Amino acid sequence: MTIAESGAAAGPGGAPGSGGAAGTTTPTAGPPDERSAGTPDTAGGDIDRLHVFDGLFLRAEHLTEMQDYARDLAHAVGAAGGPGVVDGYDVTSTKEGLRVDAGLAVSAAGRPLRSRRVVMLPWGTFPRPPTDGWFRIEIGPADWGFGEATVQALLCDAPCTGGTRATVHRAEGVEVHVVTDSEAGFGGATGRRGWLASLLFAREEKAAAAWPRPGRAHLADLSWRPPPAGALAERVPLAVVIPDGADPQTWTVDVWSVRRDRGAPPPDDLWRWRLAMRPWAVFVAQVLQFQDHYAAAALPGHLRAMLTAVTLEAELTTILAEVGRQRTAAPAQQLTELIARIRGAEPGPGAEFGKLAALPDVGITELPPAGLLVVHPRTAEGEGDLDDAVREEVDRLLAGGADLRVRRCGPDDVGSAFEQARHRRRIPIGDPAHAPVDVLLPVDEGKWVGDWVAFVRRDGTVDRPPEPPVEQVDEVDVFLVDDGTDREKFTRDVAAVQAGKLPDGVDAPAAVLRYPRDTWAQPLGDQRALLEKILGQGTRIVVAAFVADASRRAVGVVRAGLLTIRFGGATSGGSVLPQLFSATGTPRDAIVVIGLTELN
C-alpha cells in the first residue's frame, strides 16, 4: 500500500488513462535503431522475442526475454481492450479499516491487475485529510520475490565451491494506493457526496474533451485526426473516501464516482465523447452512483418503516380472515401482538412514518440522465388517478425541481428508455429551468407492477412548428367622401369618379378591406361597421369601383356592389340603391363611396 500520494489522477475524476501520473508507459521517439531494422520504414513495438538456434547457450537473460515477450504481448492485447474493472474490487468501510476485495482489472497500459485476497488498510495509516480534500483509492501493479534456491556453480567457478542462494520466484499482484485529491469549496459544501460526484463526472467529461459542452460548442474547435499515442496509466481507480469528522468509521465510501467497469476499446470511448455521446461504462457508473447514494442515504429507516407497514398489513389481513373462519380467541391474541408491533415501528430520524425523504434533503442535487426511484405503495391507494398520485409523490421527492410528465409503459420498456436517455445531460434538481423529466410508470395489464418508477431526461428535440399558410388576399382601399348637404360638391365628386379620378381632397383611405384573392365574396373581418357608421345619414350614395387593371373590372364592381348594397336600407331616406360606376387608374383596387344628405 502506498499512502498519501498526490498528483495527476490515473482515471475518472482526473484525466482518464493519461496525464503523466506515476507508473505510466510512454512511447519513445528517435532515429532508426536496432529495434527498427535499421531502416526508416520500420518501427519496433518493444515486443521482442528470443531468436533460438542450435548451439545457443541459454542463460538467465534469454529466459527472461522469453518471459518479457509473453508479458509485453499480453499487455498490448490488454491495452487494446481498454481499462477498467472486470469483477470484484468492491471497497467498503469497516471498523478496522478500509476493505478492498479481491478482483480483476486491466490498466490502460494493458496490465492485468489481479488480486486473490482481501486487502485491509488500517484507518491509522491514513493521513490527515485536507479541509477541501478527499482520498482516491487506486490499484496498481506490484511484484515481489519469494522462495529461494541455491545458485549452482557457474562456468569458470572452481568446482565444488559452495554456492550462494537467490530468490527463485516473482509474484505479480497489486498494490493499493491512497491518493489525496482536493477542490476548493468541497469542505463547506452541503451534501458533499453528491457535490463530489457531480464534480468528478464533470472533470471526466472535460478531460475526455467531450463535445458539445459549455465553452466548447464550436465545430471548428474539434480535431478529426486520429489521436496520438500517449502515456498509458498503470493504475485503475476503485473508489473515493470522503472524510466526515475525526472518526474514520464515519467516513463515506463512494465507488461509482471514479470506478469504471471494463467496456469498450479506447477508440470507441474517445470518439463517442467527441460525437456528443456518453460511453456505456460512464453512463452505467453515473446511474449506479446515484442508485447507491440513494439507497444509502434515502432508503434506510424510511424503507424499513414502509416495508414494516406493508408486511404488517398483510399479516393483519391474514389474521382477520382466520378470525372469521375459526371464531376463536387465539387470533385475538395475535391481533394484540400485531398492534404492539405496529406501534413500535419507527420511521427513522427526520422522516414521517413510511415516507421517503426528498432527495435534496439527503444531499442529492443532481441526477443521472436515467434512474429508478422507490415510490411509496400507499401512493396508489384510495381514490383518484394513479398517474396523478405518482406524479405528486415524485415531485415531492425531487423537491419540485423538475418539469415532470408521467407516462405508462411495460416493465420491459424501461431498458429501451434508459438506452435512449444515455447521451442526454444530467438532471439538476432545483435548476430554475426545471429540466424536463419523464416518469415511467411500469404497468402490466393496467396494474402497477411494483413500488418503483423509472425516470429519464426527456428528449429535447423539438419540431419547428409549421409556418402558417400565407393567406391569399386582395387588399382594397376604401375612400369615404361625405359631402353632407353640399349638392354642388357632390356633383363635382361624382363627375371626378366618372372620369376615373379620385375626388379632390381625398388622400388616405378610411379603411383597407381584405378579400379572398380574385373572388367577389364579402370582405374578411368586420370592417364594414366603419362604413355604416360614417354613411348612416346619407340619403344618396354613389359608389365607384377602381381597379388596377381592366381585367379586374368585373370583380371590382361586384365587390363594391356587395359592400354598399347594405347601405340602401340603412339610410334615413329609405331603400334607394346606390349608383355604381367602375373605372381604372389606381395603383391597386379601391372603392370610393360618396354620400349626400338631401333635405326635404
Side-chain angles (χ1 to χ4, degrees):
M1 175 183 72
T2 301
I3 296 293
E5 293 188 32
S6 62
S18 63
T24 61
T25 59
T26 308
T28 58
D33 56 18
E34 69 278 2
R35 292 185 176 179
S36 65
T39 61
D41 57 351
T42 59
D46 286 339
I47 302 177
D48 304 320
R49 58 186 174 85
L50 179 67
H51 176 57
V52 182
F53 54 88
D54 291 338
L56 175 66
F57 184 78
L58 288 177
R59 297 176 60 84
E61 62 181 284
H62 298 130
L63 298 177
T64 299
E65 186 174 4
M66 295 170 65
Q67 291 180 333
D68 290 346
Y69 170 72
R71 179 198 61 198
D72 294 340
L73 189 63
H75 288 185
V77 174
V85 179
V86 178
D87 63 10
Y89 281 134
D90 192 13
V91 180
T92 53
S93 175
T94 70
K95 182 178 180 181
E96 294 76 18
L98 190 71
R99 174 189 171 111
V100 181
D101 288 348
L104 173 63
V106 179
S107 71
R111 179 159 180 168
L113 302 174
R114 187 169 72 172
S115 168
R116 284 291 183 252
R117 60 177 292 270
V118 173
V119 175
M120 185 68 71
L121 306 182
W123 291 121
T125 61
F126 277 68
R128 181 182 181 88
T131 302
D132 288 329
W134 61 91
F135 301 116
R136 186 173 63 253
I137 309 303
E138 301 175 353
I139 53 170
D143 64 89
W144 54 90
F146 68 96
E148 289 186 346
T150 301
V151 179
Q152 301 299 326
L154 303 177
L155 290 178
C156 302
D157 283 353
C160 300
T161 58
T164 60
R165 297 184 64 81
T167 301
V168 70
H169 301 292
R170 298 293 299 176
E172 291 192 357
V174 300
E175 182 178 9
V176 180
H177 302 264
V178 179
V179 182
T180 301
D181 201 350
S182 63
E183 181 74 20
F186 172 69
T190 302
R192 295 200 299 169
R193 181 176 180 178
W195 189 95
L196 180 58
S198 298
L199 170 73
L200 296 180
F201 291 142
R203 275 190 186 179
E204 183 176 20
E205 290 194 11
K206 183 178 180 180
W211 180 90
R213 59 189 304 273
R216 192 178 178 84
H218 299 292
L219 193 62
D221 293 342
L222 302 183
S223 170
W224 303 104
R225 305 298 302 169
L232 300 177
E234 293 280 4
R235 298 180 189 172
V236 173
L238 298 181
V240 293
V241 177
I242 304 172
D244 186 12
D247 184 2
Q249 296 184 41
T250 65
W251 292 358
T252 301
V253 177
D254 191 309
V255 172
W256 295 107
S257 288
V258 293
R259 169 174 168 150
R260 299 293 176 266
D261 285 347
R262 198 172 193 225
D268 187 279
D269 286 351
L270 182 144
W271 292 116
R272 284 186 182 276
W273 282 121
R274 189 63 55 87
L275 296 174
M277 293 185 282
R278 183 180 280 112
W280 178 251
V282 176
F283 170 67
V284 170
Q286 292 191 10
V287 174
L288 296 180
Q289 190 281 328
F290 163 71
Q291 300 297 159
D292 185 49
H293 188 179
Y294 176 54
L299 298 186
H302 312 309
L303 183 61
R304 170 179 165 272
M306 179 184 70
L307 295 180
T308 299
V310 173
T311 302
L312 295 182
E313 183 179 4
E315 292 183 21
L316 180 60
T317 302
T318 302
I319 293 173
L320 288 176
E322 185 70 15
V323 170
R325 285 195 303 269
Q326 298 183 8
R327 299 181 180 279
T328 65
Q333 178 62 31
Q334 292 177 299
L335 286 174
T336 302
E337 295 175 356
L338 184 58
I339 292 172
R341 289 175 58 193
I342 294 176
R343 289 175 177 172
E346 297 180 358
E352 299 178 28
F353 182 81
K355 199 171 190 179
L356 300 176
L359 299 186
D361 293 342
V362 294
I364 300 176
T365 58
E366 188 177 65
L367 306 179
L372 302 170
L373 287 172
V374 172
V375 179
H376 198 299
R378 294 183 183 275
T379 309
E381 295 180 1
E383 299 181 358
D385 184 77
L386 172 61
D387 299 49
D388 291 342
V390 168
R391 184 191 183 285
E392 181 180 351
E393 175 67 2
V394 174
D395 187 62
R396 186 189 66 79
L397 292 176
L398 303 188
D403 176 17
L404 300 180
R405 180 179 66 179
V406 176
R407 302 177 66 189
R408 295 194 174 202
C409 68
D412 52 346
D413 294 324
V414 173
S416 60
F418 272 44
E419 284 272 15
Q420 294 171 9
R422 166 183 170 184
H423 306 300
R424 296 174 191 154
R425 288 174 294 166
R426 290 173 60 80
I427 304 169
I429 300 178
D431 181 77
H434 279 71
V437 174
D438 279 347
V439 178
L440 304 181
L441 182 64
V443 296
D444 187 18
E445 297 182 354
K447 295 182 179 179
W448 191 12
V449 299
D451 63 348
W452 60 274
V453 296
F455 66 86
V456 295
R457 182 161 189 146
R458 196 177 308 151
D459 184 358
T461 58
V462 178
D463 292 332
R464 181 178 178 179
E467 295 289 342
V470 179
E471 197 173 19
Q472 301 295 318
V473 297
D474 290 332
E475 291 187 340
V476 178
D477 295 331
V478 178
F479 298 94
L480 303 178
V481 182
D482 186 0
D483 288 337
T485 59
D486 191 342
R487 186 179 295 275
E488 291 184 1
K489 185 176 185 306
F490 177 75
T491 301
R492 291 195 304 272
D493 292 342
V494 172
V497 297
Q498 289 176 332
K501 300 178 182 179
L502 294 178
D504 293 339
V506 175
D507 297 321
V512 178
L513 300 183
R514 301 166 67 250
Y515 289 87
R517 177 68 57 84
D518 297 330
T519 64
W520 47 266
Q522 292 282 358
L524 302 175
D526 194 25
Q527 299 183 55
R528 291 169 294 170
L530 175 64
L531 303 180
E532 294 179 356
K533 179 179 179 180
I534 296 178
L535 299 179
Q537 299 301 317
T539 58
R540 185 176 178 185
I541 297 175
V542 173
V543 179
F546 285 79
V547 291
D549 184 86
S551 63
R552 301 180 56 80
R553 188 183 297 272
V555 70
V557 170
V558 174
R559 285 173 174 173
L562 288 175
L563 174 67
T564 56
I565 194 172
R566 295 170 55 85
F567 300 132
T571 61
S572 58
S575 59
V576 178
L577 295 178
Q579 294 177 290
L580 188 61
F581 301 96
S582 65
T584 61
T586 54
R588 65 179 188 174
D589 294 357
I591 298 174
V592 180
V593 182
I594 306 172
L596 173 68
T597 301
E598 295 180 317
L599 300 176
N600 294 331

